[in-house]
Amino acid sequence: DSAGLKSNMTTMFIFFVLLCAITSFVLNKTMFGRALYAIGGNENAAEVSGVNTRRSKILIYTVAGFMYAMAGYLLAAKSGGASSGLGNGYELEAIAGCTIGGVSTTGGIGTVGGILVGVLVFELLKVVLQFLQVNPYYNYIVQGLVIVIAVVTYFSEYKKVGNIIKEKRRQIEAELPRLVSNINKTLTHSRDILGILDSYREHAGEELRRELDITVADMRSGNYEVALTRLESRVGSSMM
């Protein structure tokens, strides 16, 4: 009856909201969530960074199994029964919804909010196809096309980012010789200044020699601004 259907839908919606909230919190606010993204992006790099990939993967598959069980429970509650063929083809719909929602096919990228948007868009597409009275068997073709288009779009954007990184790297490599030349000039000037200060030190009085020693020590340690300020103050006091 309508009352039972309403109660059933309310229960499924509550489960849906709770699972989304818990999953979003785990992915964004816990070490396990960070480890999951790291393993998805590059498992070897994650292991080198100190992530226990073996334990994390066991936990990931355990959580995935729990999610599959909850999905089966909710689907059975929606259908009012269960059969061996219940849910056939849902794996393709799940992949399509996640791909539309921004989940990377190579791993390491994706959010719960994006997946929800992707699922809603995909379900809207199915409703539109049904409204247009398209043959249900064509849904699989549409699902495959959606996945292909999403993957091609992702890799085209990935290629653009890669090209930008290559261009920045090329610019840095082109600027590197000039930077090295400037550093060499700076070091040469620093040596000249140190030589001049050493020559002044030989003929200076005790107080000035002490200040020059401190200035030279500052320059050798890289405190050029402090050394310059000390010299300027010395010159100013000498002119007064």
Side-chain angles (χ1 to χ4, degrees):
D1 56 347
S2 60
L5 179 62
K6 183 177 180 181
S7 175
N8 198 1
M9 294 299 293
T10 302
T11 302
M12 288 191 292
F13 181 75
I14 292 174
F15 271 108
F16 168 75
V17 172
L18 285 177
L19 288 175
C20 287
I22 294 172
T23 304
S24 180
F25 175 81
V26 170
L27 289 177
N28 297 311
K29 302 296 182 180
T30 65
M31 292 296 295
F32 170 68
R34 298 187 183 94
L36 188 147
Y37 278 115
I39 293 173
N42 190 323
E43 184 176 348
N44 293 330
E47 188 171 5
V48 172
S49 300
V51 177
N52 190 334
T53 56
R54 180 180 176 85
R55 185 182 65 184
S56 297
K57 286 168 67 176
I58 291 174
L59 188 56
I60 288 170
Y61 287 121
T62 302
V63 173
F66 172 76
M67 289 294 187
Y68 302 150
M70 290 302 302
Y73 168 77
L74 294 176
L75 184 60
K78 175 185 175 183
S79 304
S83 66
S84 59
L86 192 64
N88 282 345
Y90 274 32
E91 63 278 2
L92 185 61
E93 295 187 13
I95 295 173
C98 292
T99 306
I100 296 174
V103 176
S104 171
T105 55
T106 58
I109 300 175
T111 61
V112 175
I115 293 173
L116 293 179
V117 172
V119 170
L120 290 176
V121 170
F122 188 74
E123 289 299 318
L124 179 62
L125 179 62
K126 288 173 60 179
V127 171
V128 170
L129 292 175
Q130 292 175 1
F131 181 77
L132 295 175
Q133 297 181 351
V134 177
N135 191 323
Y137 292 104
Y138 290 153
N139 286 343
Y140 294 105
I141 299 177
V142 174
Q143 293 171 13
L145 289 176
V146 167
I147 295 174
V148 170
I149 293 172
V151 170
V152 170
T153 303
Y154 169 77
F155 277 105
S156 64
E157 293 295 327
Y158 184 81
K159 186 177 180 180
K160 290 180 181 178
V161 174
N163 291 335
I164 292 174
I165 294 175
K166 289 180 180 178
E167 179 63 22
K168 291 293 184 181
R169 186 178 299 168
R170 188 190 64 79
Q171 292 177 359
I172 293 173
E173 291 176 351
E175 290 290 329
L176 192 59
R178 187 175 64 84
L179 179 62
V180 172
S181 177
N182 290 336
I183 292 174
N184 288 332
K185 291 179 180 178
T186 302
L187 292 175
T188 302
H189 293 325
S190 299
R191 295 190 190 98
D192 294 340
I193 294 172
L194 289 173
I196 295 172
L197 292 177
D198 286 337
S199 64
Y200 284 165
R201 181 180 176 280
E202 295 177 358
H203 306 285
E206 185 66 27
E207 182 181 354
L208 180 57
R209 184 180 299 175
R210 194 179 311 114
E211 290 188 13
L212 289 175
D213 288 339
I214 298 174
T215 302
V216 170
D218 287 335
M219 292 188 66
R220 293 187 187 280
S221 61
N223 297 324
Y224 296 106
E225 293 183 1
V226 176
L228 180 60
T229 302
R230 182 175 289 106
L231 287 175
E232 287 177 347
S233 62
R234 179 64 186 181
V235 172
S237 62
S238 300
M239 296 177 62
M240 292 179 60

